[in-house]
Amino acid sequence: MDLQVLRSFRAVAEGATVTEAAAAAHLTQPALSRALNRLESEVGAELLQRVGRVLRPTPAGRVFKEYVDTVLDGYDRGRRAVAEVVDPDTGVVSLAFLHTLGTWLVPRLVTGFRQRFAAVRFELHQADENGLAEHLLDSTADLIITGKDPGHPLITWRRLLVEPLWLAVPARHRLAQRRRVRLAEVAAEQFIVLKPGYGLRSVTETLCHQAGFSPLVGFEGEEVETLRGLVAAGLGVSLMPAAPEVTAAHETGPDLPVRYLALTDVRAARDIGVARLTARTLPPAARRFVDHALHATAGTGGAPRPA
């Protein structure tokens, strides 16, 4: 059984046309069609059926694809591992991370790592908390950087740092000139939050409940920068990390449209950690990246505190 045929079968089962799969495999369309027919004969079942102008997996095809994914992912990981044994300074780090960490933590870690291992490549994915665990379980990532321990029996999580969270208010908000407030002081205001499934959303709800109220949701977004922009526009308040320009300058500055206030009645912070599948041996490059991340964040409490 040809691995390339399995790759073509997977591509077609995931929605590619036979023409597209054939081009990717450097085959003619008739040649790939014959190869797929031979694959069905070897398996002993119809794997693909025509629906309109495209092929879709049959029930047997969907079952078979799960095993094909395992075979191909294992083979690719094996090739990577061998390549890294031959040349330990090369390799690929397949990393998935929270959207909110793409503005500061992940770029810093990747940049610092590549200063030592310039030949290592990165495959990067973004997802919410729920999607990150799936990246590990379906082998699309070797590592994830997430806001909390996934709590999955197959996943090992290690804390990297504690990231402080702030109450973000518009520059003309009634509390904007304060440095510290109680979260309960904005209980009646609209909150700009991330959609359910995002770690920051669950942290926001937990902290509001600890302060004695349920947040009044005015908008649900998918990116912290969107939330920040809506807060600046005066549409509500939000719990979030300080903006990158704030943490870089160690101060809020009089001209910034959002003020970040420390909270005194709740512990406004979240854990950030790195996780991997417990039973899977990490490739050398991924192991080095974990060591680098742990060293780079050792002793830190998160982003610098706004003035």
Side-chain angles (χ1 to χ4, degrees), residues 7-17 48 55-57 65 69:
R7 294 188 191 280
S8 297
F9 163 75
R10 180 166 68 175
V12 173
E14 291 176 348
T17 65
L48 300 165
L55 293 177
R56 291 288 182 261
K65 181 181 178 298
D69 290 341

Side-chain angles (χ1 to χ4, degrees), residues 15 17 37 49 54 71 89 92 109 111 142 165 177 188 190 192 199 223 231 239 252 263 277 281 286 289:
T17 65
N37 289 335
Q49 62 184 0
V54 297
V71 168
D89 290 332
V92 177
L109 292 179
T111 299
D142 294 322
L165 300 176
Q177 300 309 311
Q190 286 195 333
I192 311 299
E223 295 180 351
V231 170
L239 285 174
T252 54
L263 294 170
L277 284 182
T281 300
F289 182 78

Side-chain angles (χ1 to χ4, degrees), residues 108 243-251 303-304:
R108 293 180 189 179
E245 64 270 18
V246 172
T247 59
H250 295 261
E251 59 182 16

Side-chain angles (χ1 to χ4, degrees), residues 57-68:
T58 63
R62 287 192 292 271
V63 171
F64 184 62
K65 181 181 178 298
E66 295 179 9
Y67 292 91
V68 168

Side-chain angles (χ1 to χ4, degrees), residues 123-204:
E123 294 177 354
L124 301 177
H125 314 270
Q126 285 184 307
D128 59 23
E129 291 282 6
N130 297 329
L132 286 175
E134 292 303 315
H135 274 294
L136 283 183
L137 296 172
D138 66 11
S139 300
T140 55
D142 294 322
L143 301 169
I144 61 174
I145 298 181
T146 181
K148 62 180 181 181
D149 187 342
H152 194 284
L154 301 179
I155 294 175
T156 296
W157 180 88
R158 296 182 67 179
R159 181 184 290 107
L160 292 175
L161 54 87
V162 178
E163 181 183 35
L165 300 176
W166 310 87
L167 179 67
V169 302
R172 296 187 178 184
H173 191 273
R174 59 186 174 85
L175 301 174
Q177 300 309 311
R178 301 260 299 272
R179 296 180 63 185
R180 299 177 179 84
V181 298
R182 292 180 299 110
L183 184 57
E185 293 182 64
V186 292
E189 300 197 27
Q190 286 195 333
F191 273 73
I192 311 299
V193 297
L194 294 177
K195 291 181 177 180
Y198 287 83
L200 191 57
R201 170 65 176 268
S202 62
V203 171
T204 296

